[in-house]
mmCIF file of all heavy atoms in Angstrom:
data_model
loop_
_atom_site.group_PDB
_atom_site.id
_atom_site.type_symbol
_atom_site.label_atom_id
_atom_site.label_comp_id
_atom_site.label_asym_id
_atom_site.label_seq_id
_atom_site.Cartn_x
_atom_site.Cartn_y
_atom_site.Cartn_z
ATOM 1 N N SER A 30 19.759 295.328 90.941
ATOM 2 C CA SER A 30 19.189 293.991 90.735
ATOM 3 C C SER A 30 20.266 292.941 90.898
ATOM 4 O O SER A 30 21.438 293.185 90.617
ATOM 5 C CB SER A 30 18.583 293.882 89.328
ATOM 6 O OG SER A 30 17.631 294.896 89.099
ATOM 7 N N PRO A 31 19.882 291.757 91.364
ATOM 8 C CA PRO A 31 20.862 290.665 91.443
ATOM 9 C C PRO A 31 21.287 290.219 90.049
ATOM 10 O O PRO A 31 20.632 290.534 89.049
ATOM 11 C CB PRO A 31 20.110 289.568 92.192
ATOM 12 C CG PRO A 31 18.668 289.855 91.934
ATOM 13 C CD PRO A 31 18.556 291.342 91.830
ATOM 14 N N LYS A 32 22.331 289.466 89.989
ATOM 15 C CA LYS A 32 22.824 288.953 88.718
ATOM 16 C C LYS A 32 21.781 288.011 88.122
ATOM 17 O O LYS A 32 21.140 287.235 88.825
ATOM 18 C CB LYS A 32 24.143 288.216 88.931
ATOM 19 C CG LYS A 32 24.785 287.712 87.658
ATOM 20 C CD LYS A 32 26.099 287.007 87.956
ATOM 21 C CE LYS A 32 26.739 286.483 86.680
ATOM 22 N NZ LYS A 32 28.020 285.779 86.950
ATOM 23 N N THR A 33 21.617 288.125 86.813
ATOM 24 C CA THR A 33 20.638 287.276 86.132
ATOM 25 C C THR A 33 21.051 285.812 86.235
ATOM 26 O O THR A 33 22.137 285.423 85.810
ATOM 27 C CB THR A 33 20.515 287.680 84.658
ATOM 28 O OG1 THR A 33 20.073 289.037 84.573
ATOM 29 C CG2 THR A 33 19.526 286.784 83.934
ATOM 30 N N THR A 34 20.175 285.024 86.826
ATOM 31 C CA THR A 34 20.416 283.586 86.950
ATOM 32 C C THR A 34 19.141 282.839 86.590
ATOM 33 O O THR A 34 18.028 283.307 86.854
ATOM 34 C CB THR A 34 20.828 283.200 88.377
ATOM 35 O OG1 THR A 34 19.825 283.651 89.312
ATOM 36 C CG2 THR A 34 22.158 283.819 88.735
ATOM 37 N N ILE A 35 19.306 281.675 85.966
ATOM 38 C CA ILE A 35 18.191 280.802 85.604
ATOM 39 C C ILE A 35 18.230 279.600 86.530
ATOM 40 O O ILE A 35 19.202 278.845 86.552
ATOM 41 C CB ILE A 35 18.277 280.361 84.136
ATOM 42 C CG1 ILE A 35 18.211 281.581 83.209
ATOM 43 C CG2 ILE A 35 17.157 279.380 83.800
ATOM 44 C CD1 ILE A 35 18.383 281.242 81.748
ATOM 45 N N SER A 36 17.165 279.430 87.293
ATOM 46 C CA SER A 36 17.114 278.317 88.244
ATOM 47 C C SER A 36 16.299 277.139 87.735
ATOM 48 O O SER A 36 16.487 276.010 88.188
ATOM 49 C CB SER A 36 16.535 278.791 89.578
ATOM 50 O OG SER A 36 15.229 279.323 89.395
ATOM 51 N N ALA A 37 15.366 277.386 86.814
ATOM 52 C CA ALA A 37 14.520 276.300 86.319
ATOM 53 C C ALA A 37 14.062 276.624 84.911
ATOM 54 O O ALA A 37 13.844 277.789 84.553
ATOM 55 C CB ALA A 37 13.308 276.084 87.231
ATOM 56 N N VAL A 38 13.904 275.574 84.102
ATOM 57 C CA VAL A 38 13.409 275.685 82.729
ATOM 58 C C VAL A 38 12.223 274.727 82.596
ATOM 59 O O VAL A 38 12.336 273.543 82.905
ATOM 60 C CB VAL A 38 14.489 275.338 81.691
ATOM 61 C CG1 VAL A 38 13.923 275.446 80.279
ATOM 62 C CG2 VAL A 38 15.702 276.252 81.847
ATOM 63 N N SER A 39 11.077 275.260 82.157
ATOM 64 C CA SER A 39 9.876 274.448 81.945
ATOM 65 C C SER A 39 9.438 274.588 80.502
ATOM 66 O O SER A 39 9.665 275.625 79.864
ATOM 67 C CB SER A 39 8.744 274.881 82.881
ATOM 68 O OG SER A 39 9.156 274.841 84.232
ATOM 69 N N VAL A 40 8.792 273.556 79.999
ATOM 70 C CA VAL A 40 8.348 273.518 78.603
ATOM 71 C C VAL A 40 6.879 273.129 78.578
ATOM 72 O O VAL A 40 6.453 272.238 79.314
ATOM 73 C CB VAL A 40 9.184 272.523 77.769
ATOM 74 C CG1 VAL A 40 8.613 272.385 76.357
ATOM 75 C CG2 VAL A 40 10.638 272.969 77.693
ATOM 76 N N ARG A 41 6.118 273.818 77.739
ATOM 77 C CA ARG A 41 4.716 273.463 77.507
ATOM 78 C C ARG A 41 4.520 273.216 76.019
ATOM 79 O O ARG A 41 4.685 274.118 75.200
ATOM 80 C CB ARG A 41 3.766 274.565 77.972
ATOM 81 C CG ARG A 41 2.282 274.173 77.847
ATOM 82 C CD ARG A 41 1.379 275.225 78.475
ATOM 83 N NE ARG A 41 1.415 276.459 77.711
ATOM 84 C CZ ARG A 41 0.636 276.708 76.656
ATOM 85 N NH1 ARG A 41 -0.225 275.799 76.252
ATOM 86 N NH2 ARG A 41 0.723 277.851 76.019
ATOM 87 N N HIS A 42 4.194 271.969 75.674
ATOM 88 C CA HIS A 42 3.914 271.614 74.296
ATOM 89 C C HIS A 42 2.495 272.025 73.944
ATOM 90 O O HIS A 42 1.645 272.227 74.812
ATOM 91 C CB HIS A 42 4.111 270.107 74.083
ATOM 92 C CG HIS A 42 5.504 269.643 74.434
ATOM 93 N ND1 HIS A 42 6.530 269.589 73.514
ATOM 94 C CD2 HIS A 42 6.037 269.229 75.608
ATOM 95 C CE1 HIS A 42 7.628 269.146 74.106
ATOM 96 N NE2 HIS A 42 7.355 268.923 75.387
ATOM 97 N N ARG A 43 2.214 272.156 72.645
ATOM 98 C CA ARG A 43 0.893 272.584 72.194
ATOM 99 C C ARG A 43 -0.187 271.656 72.740
ATOM 100 O O ARG A 43 -0.116 270.429 72.576
ATOM 101 C CB ARG A 43 0.809 272.568 70.667
ATOM 102 C CG ARG A 43 1.761 273.494 69.946
ATOM 103 C CD ARG A 43 1.441 274.949 70.208
ATOM 104 N NE ARG A 43 2.149 275.472 71.371
ATOM 105 C CZ ARG A 43 1.963 276.635 71.880
ATOM 106 N NH1 ARG A 43 1.049 277.425 71.377
ATOM 107 N NH2 ARG A 43 2.649 277.049 72.913
ATOM 108 N N GLY A 44 -1.201 272.240 73.404
ATOM 109 C CA GLY A 44 -2.311 271.467 73.932
ATOM 110 C C GLY A 44 -2.021 270.762 75.237
ATOM 111 O O GLY A 44 -2.875 270.024 75.727
ATOM 112 N N GLY A 45 -0.816 270.961 75.825
ATOM 113 C CA GLY A 45 -0.463 270.270 77.060
ATOM 114 C C GLY A 45 -0.260 271.236 78.215
ATOM 115 O O GLY A 45 -0.527 272.440 78.122
ATOM 116 N N ASP A 46 0.237 270.698 79.316
ATOM 117 C CA ASP A 46 0.516 271.484 80.506
ATOM 118 C C ASP A 46 2.021 271.684 80.643
ATOM 119 O O ASP A 46 2.832 271.057 79.949
ATOM 120 C CB ASP A 46 -0.031 270.767 81.750
ATOM 121 C CG ASP A 46 -1.551 270.635 81.711
ATOM 122 O OD1 ASP A 46 -2.195 271.558 81.182
ATOM 123 O OD2 ASP A 46 -2.062 269.615 82.200
ATOM 124 N N TRP A 47 2.396 272.549 81.572
ATOM 125 C CA TRP A 47 3.805 272.803 81.823
ATOM 126 C C TRP A 47 4.458 271.557 82.433
ATOM 127 O O TRP A 47 3.903 270.922 83.329
ATOM 128 C CB TRP A 47 3.982 273.987 82.769
ATOM 129 C CG TRP A 47 3.635 275.306 82.141
ATOM 130 C CD1 TRP A 47 2.498 276.031 82.317
ATOM 131 C CD2 TRP A 47 4.442 276.047 81.222
ATOM 132 N NE1 TRP A 47 2.541 277.178 81.575
ATOM 133 C CE2 TRP A 47 3.726 277.225 80.897
ATOM 134 C CE3 TRP A 47 5.694 275.843 80.658
ATOM 135 C CZ2 TRP A 47 4.222 278.174 80.022
ATOM 136 C CZ3 TRP A 47 6.191 276.792 79.774
ATOM 137 C CH2 TRP A 47 5.460 277.937 79.469
ATOM 138 N N THR A 48 5.638 271.226 81.931
ATOM 139 C CA THR A 48 6.399 270.084 82.442
ATOM 140 C C THR A 48 7.812 270.545 82.769
ATOM 141 O O THR A 48 8.340 271.490 82.171
ATOM 142 C CB THR A 48 6.454 268.945 81.414
ATOM 143 O OG1 THR A 48 7.143 269.395 80.232
ATOM 144 C CG2 THR A 48 5.048 268.488 81.034
ATOM 145 N N ASN A 49 8.434 269.846 83.718
ATOM 146 C CA ASN A 49 9.807 270.172 84.092
ATOM 147 C C ASN A 49 10.828 269.567 83.144
ATOM 148 O O ASN A 49 12.028 269.818 83.277
ATOM 149 C CB ASN A 49 10.087 269.684 85.519
ATOM 150 C CG ASN A 49 9.251 270.425 86.551
ATOM 151 O OD1 ASN A 49 8.945 271.604 86.374
ATOM 152 N ND2 ASN A 49 8.850 269.740 87.612
ATOM 153 N N SER A 50 10.370 268.747 82.200
ATOM 154 C CA SER A 50 11.266 268.139 81.224
ATOM 155 C C SER A 50 11.582 269.154 80.129
ATOM 156 O O SER A 50 10.690 269.577 79.394
ATOM 157 C CB SER A 50 10.621 266.890 80.617
ATOM 158 O OG SER A 50 11.443 266.350 79.612
ATOM 159 N N ALA A 51 12.841 269.545 80.022
ATOM 160 C CA ALA A 51 13.252 270.566 79.046
ATOM 161 C C ALA A 51 13.604 269.916 77.721
ATOM 162 O O ALA A 51 14.666 270.157 77.146
ATOM 163 C CB ALA A 51 14.427 271.377 79.578
ATOM 164 N N THR A 52 12.715 269.087 77.196
ATOM 165 C CA THR A 52 12.942 268.426 75.917
ATOM 166 C C THR A 52 11.963 268.958 74.894
ATOM 167 O O THR A 52 10.789 269.192 75.194
ATOM 168 C CB THR A 52 12.775 266.900 76.049
ATOM 169 O OG1 THR A 52 11.455 266.617 76.519
ATOM 170 C CG2 THR A 52 13.797 266.334 77.012
ATOM 171 N N VAL A 53 12.443 269.165 73.682
ATOM 172 C CA VAL A 53 11.622 269.630 72.572
ATOM 173 C C VAL A 53 11.868 268.717 71.384
ATOM 174 O O VAL A 53 12.846 267.972 71.347
ATOM 175 C CB VAL A 53 11.945 271.098 72.202
ATOM 176 C CG1 VAL A 53 11.582 272.036 73.339
ATOM 177 C CG2 VAL A 53 13.416 271.263 71.846
ATOM 178 N N ASN A 54 10.966 268.815 70.405
ATOM 179 C CA ASN A 54 11.049 267.976 69.217
ATOM 180 C C ASN A 54 11.258 268.831 67.982
ATOM 181 O O ASN A 54 10.826 269.985 67.932
ATOM 182 C CB ASN A 54 9.766 267.153 69.060
ATOM 183 C CG ASN A 54 9.470 266.314 70.289
ATOM 184 O OD1 ASN A 54 8.558 266.591 71.041
ATOM 185 N ND2 ASN A 54 10.263 265.287 70.501
#
């Protein structure tokens, strides 16, 4: 397997859709 790499982080808040903004509260 290739080396583990993270290319993107998405966040889905309760009741919402996936967003590219990696912000949490």
Side-chain angles (χ1 to χ4, degrees):
S30 305
K32 183 179 179 180
T33 299
T34 56
I35 299 176
S36 59
V38 179
S39 304
V40 174
R41 185 173 68 86
H42 302 269
R43 298 294 90 187
D46 296 326
W47 289 102
T48 63
N49 294 328
S50 176
T52 59
V53 295
N54 304 108

